[in-house]
Amino acid sequence: MSNRSDSGRPAKILLVEDNPGDVRLTEEVFREGQIDNTLHVATDGVEALDFLFKRGEHADAPCPDIVLLDLNLPRKNGDEVLEEIRNDADLSKLPVIVLTSSEAESDVAKSYELHANAYLTKPVNPMEFIETIQSFNSFWLSIVRLPSCNVR
């Protein structure tokens, strides 16, 4: 299965997730579903921003096609990360999908106020989590045409 039929290359996904179990499960779903992608992982908000702004050890990081962003992160939370992305001229159009365990209506509203492209709640049940990731793939990586990356 391939994203980016316009360019023929795998999707570059930045997964911002501090839970190792969720990272592992997401990697497995992409691998087993033969989802054509390059998955990069940042384990906190500061690392995610360093990756996106190509700072420090991430100076050579690729520009992702899409970001999967947890809200409950150490050092900088997902709202802060999303706000910095949206306030940057080069990153403002980068699709950001919130993927979090929070079902709080206030979190949903805040994410959309900060211009998240979608809000997905991570199910606790592993099989439902797999279905959520597969649905993400079916829509965002197979149907949607993603914007070209602005190179810094």
Side-chain angles (χ1 to χ4, degrees):
M1 206 171 270
S2 178
N3 170 43
R4 309 296 295 192
S5 58
D6 55 318
S7 69
R9 65 171 173 75
K12 291 179 285 198
I13 302 167
L14 175 60
L15 173 63
V16 187
E17 174 60 65
D18 65 322
N19 181 321
D22 287 347
V23 170
R24 202 168 34 257
L25 189 55
T26 303
E27 290 170 335
E28 285 178 28
V29 172
F30 283 140
R31 187 174 45 257
E32 289 176 13
Q34 298 179 339
I35 299 169
D36 195 10
N37 72 81
T38 303
L39 187 66
H40 302 274
V41 178
T43 57
D44 63 54
V46 171
E47 183 182 7
L49 291 170
D50 286 348
F51 186 97
L52 292 167
F53 288 106
K54 302 179 184 296
R55 298 186 292 228
E57 67 182 59
H58 297 288
D60 294 327
C63 181
D65 296 304
I66 195 163
V67 175
L68 284 172
L69 178 66
D70 189 14
L71 292 181
N72 304 308
L73 298 166
R75 301 203 299 162
K76 270 195 191 260
N77 68 38
D79 289 339
E80 294 169 312
V81 172
L82 183 54
E83 189 168 19
E84 287 198 42
I85 291 170
R86 293 301 181 238
N87 287 330
D88 182 80
D90 291 332
L91 296 176
S92 64
K93 292 180 177 52
L94 176 65
V96 178
I97 311 306
V98 172
L99 179 63
T100 187
S101 56
S102 174
E103 294 183 17
E105 188 59 37
S106 59
D107 286 339
V108 175
K110 176 80 173 188
S111 293
Y112 283 115
E113 285 170 16
L114 293 171
H115 305 287
N117 295 89
Y119 189 102
L120 303 174
T121 302
K122 282 189 269 186
V124 175
N125 178 302
M127 291 309 295
E128 290 175 8
F129 183 79
I130 290 168
E131 289 173 11
T132 298
I133 296 299
Q134 289 172 334
S135 295
F136 159 80
N137 169 60
S138 294
F139 183 72
W140 286 99
L141 301 181
S142 298
I143 296 173
V144 171
R145 181 165 177 190
L146 300 171
S148 296
C149 180
N150 289 334
V151 179
R152 294 184 156 272

